[in-house]
Amino acid sequence: MNELLFCIPLEDPSGEFENAAELLNALELEFSSYFDRENCSVKHTVYTLDAESAAGVRERLTEVLPMWREIGVDLKMGEIFELHKSEWAEAWKKYFKPVEISEKLLVRPSWLNDPPRPGQKVLEINPGMSFGTGQHATTLFCLKQIDKLAAAGKSLLDAGCGSGILAIAGALLGYGVIDAFDFDPEAVEVAKENIALNNCSDAIAPETGNAADWQGRPEKYDVVCANILGHLLISFRFNIVSWVAPGGSLVLAGILERDFDKVSASYAELGMVEVERFTDREWTGGVFRFANTK
């Protein structure tokens, strides 16, 4: 068994986490990130399991880095290096902190034991290498909306579930029917582990699926969260809208601020009205409902 990881270092001198992290996620890369306080920069490390894969990833990054630079994400790439898995397994954990969503919900990495407030539910999460813990603005927006829209018996769909964090939040907050899917089978396995960690396996059974053609249950959902990239939200909008029940809410996230108006307009063409918008740095999320409902 290979005990080595083959790593590609990237440095962002802007000191911003989110933009580069979202772009690396879009390439389906596994990575960790940390803030270098001494140099006021963010360092991302992309991990692969063998030298050949590392060379291929580095070649791909060489192609896309100039395009990313044009949209304001200027990453400096270093040479491939080797790292023992045991070294990585502990080192990356220190960059994740508890996140308080509301007085009802605290998201906490599984290796921490920060106490909740009285009456506050605790959502424990173990993200694997690069799946969400609620740190990113887009995930945080979705969590707050799930909390805000929660009511006993409501149904929830988590489209692009990643670590399963949104679906688990729904279970802890009282949603009745909860479905979740992701196009990445590895993400689905991580989600299953986190669902079991939170004792929610009876309520959630995540599936491998694609927003382009996933159908789900015959009935529609009261709340649909689609935390995927903006161009995919546009491309798959007809199917995404079909999941929303009359009077239901559609939460869209993972959208660069400059692209959000285009996303919003594409859903308006399908009879959906933007009722809320929130921007954190370069990322914008929104809540939509059908025009004939309040």
Side-chain angles (χ1 to χ4, degrees):
M1 180 177 178
N2 189 356
E3 292 299 324
L4 289 176
L5 293 170
F6 295 81
C7 310
I8 303 159
L10 297 159
E11 183 171 2
D12 187 343
S14 73
E16 299 289 342
F17 275 94
E18 289 86 352
N19 295 343
E22 195 74 14
L23 292 168
L24 291 168
N25 272 321
L27 291 181
E28 303 176 29
L29 299 177
E30 297 194 15
F31 65 96
S32 65
S33 309
Y34 74 94
F35 182 64
D36 182 347
R37 295 186 181 279
E38 183 177 354
N39 297 306
C40 295
S41 65
V42 174
K43 293 185 177 179
H44 305 279
T45 304
V46 177
Y47 299 92
T48 65
L49 297 177
D50 57 73
E52 184 178 357
S53 296
V57 170
R58 196 176 192 282
E59 183 177 349
R60 176 64 177 140
L61 287 169
T62 300
E63 294 175 358
V64 300
L65 287 180
M67 292 183 281
W68 292 0
R69 194 169 296 119
E70 292 178 2
I71 60 173
V73 180
D74 188 6
L75 300 182
K76 311 300 182 185
M77 182 165 58
E79 297 299 322
I80 297 170
F81 67 94
E82 297 176 3
L83 180 71
H84 281 277
K85 290 180 180 178
S86 58
E87 295 179 51
W88 172 85
E90 294 303 318
W92 66 284
K93 292 182 178 180
K94 63 184 177 181
Y95 304 114
F96 294 96
K97 305 298 181 185
V99 179
E100 186 172 70
I101 305 306
S102 72
E103 62 183 15
K104 296 182 291 182
L105 184 65
L106 175 71
V107 176
R108 186 176 69 191
S110 59
W111 54 89
L112 298 180
N113 57 5
D114 299 60
R117 298 186 187 191
Q120 195 174 48
K121 298 283 188 180
V122 176
L123 193 167
E124 291 197 342
I125 203 80
N126 187 356
M129 283 188 176
S130 60
F131 302 107
T133 58
Q135 312 283 327
H136 193 279
T138 58
T139 307
L140 183 60
F141 173 74
C142 290
L143 285 166
K144 288 184 176 294
Q145 292 303 319
I146 288 172
D147 176 77
K148 180 179 178 180
L149 297 167
K154 272 191 174 182
S155 56
L156 170 68
L157 173 62
D158 179 4
C161 64
S163 66
I165 187 171
L166 303 183
I168 297 166
L172 296 177
L173 292 168
Y175 286 78
V177 172
I178 304 169
D179 285 337
F181 72 88
D182 198 285
F183 76 97
D184 185 347
E186 183 180 348
V188 173
E189 291 306 310
V190 171
K192 288 178 180 178
E193 293 173 4
N194 284 316
I195 289 165
L197 178 66
N198 288 274
N199 300 310
C200 295
S201 297
D202 290 343
I204 314 163
E207 305 173 9
T208 301
N210 193 305
D213 52 24
W214 193 82
Q215 296 302 313
R217 301 171 187 259
E219 63 268 28
K220 299 176 186 293
Y221 299 88
D222 297 309
V223 179
V224 173
C225 284
N227 185 10
I228 57 180
L229 295 176
H231 70 280
L232 298 178
L233 291 172
I234 293 174
S235 296
F236 305 147
R237 65 191 183 279
F238 292 96
N239 203 36
I240 292 171
V241 167
S242 75
W243 303 329
V244 185
S249 299
L250 174 61
V251 182
L252 301 181
I255 310 162
L256 287 168
E257 181 182 9
R258 68 169 190 274
D259 296 332
F260 191 85
D261 286 340
K262 184 177 180 181
V263 173
S264 183
S266 73
Y267 280 80
E269 293 173 358
L270 303 184
M272 303 211 81
V273 176
E274 179 188 331
V275 297
E276 187 171 344
R277 178 186 297 207
F278 178 77
T279 298
D280 185 348
R281 298 181 183 179
E282 298 297 318
W283 300 99
T284 298
V287 181
F288 295 78
R289 298 192 181 102
F290 287 111
N292 57 353
T293 60
K294 295 183 179 180

